[in-house]
Amino acid sequence: MVGALARRPAFEDDHRIVLFDYVGSGDSDPSAYSPERYSSPQGYAQDVLDICAELDLTDTVFVGHS
């Protein structure tokens, strides 16, 4: 993720940047993991939708990195 983070300053003046860690990676809370929810990619996709709803994000561009 270093490459993506290095380019972040180029966008900060004109765009809102939201960074997050999926459950089970980075600084996420391990107790938030649910085997039922995360048994398929739809659980992770729902996390993105939940973040967008919580932050009232519209006209959003999602850039993912693995």
Side-chain angles (χ1 to χ4, degrees):
M1 185 79 165
V2 172
L5 290 176
R7 289 185 282 283
R8 186 179 75 187
F11 298 96
E12 289 177 337
D13 289 342
D14 297 318
H15 303 280
R16 181 177 181 186
I17 309 293
V18 177
L19 302 174
F20 71 96
D21 289 321
Y22 279 114
V23 170
S25 66
D27 291 328
S28 67
D29 178 3
S31 69
Y33 181 78
S34 162
E36 182 178 308
R37 179 177 178 126
Y38 298 108
S39 65
S40 73
Q42 286 78 14
Y44 296 95
Q46 188 61 53
D47 285 350
V48 174
L49 296 174
D50 292 346
I51 290 167
C52 290
E54 182 68 27
L55 299 176
D56 195 28
L57 301 178
T58 59
D59 299 320
T60 302
V61 174
F62 179 84
V63 177
H65 184 318
S66 64

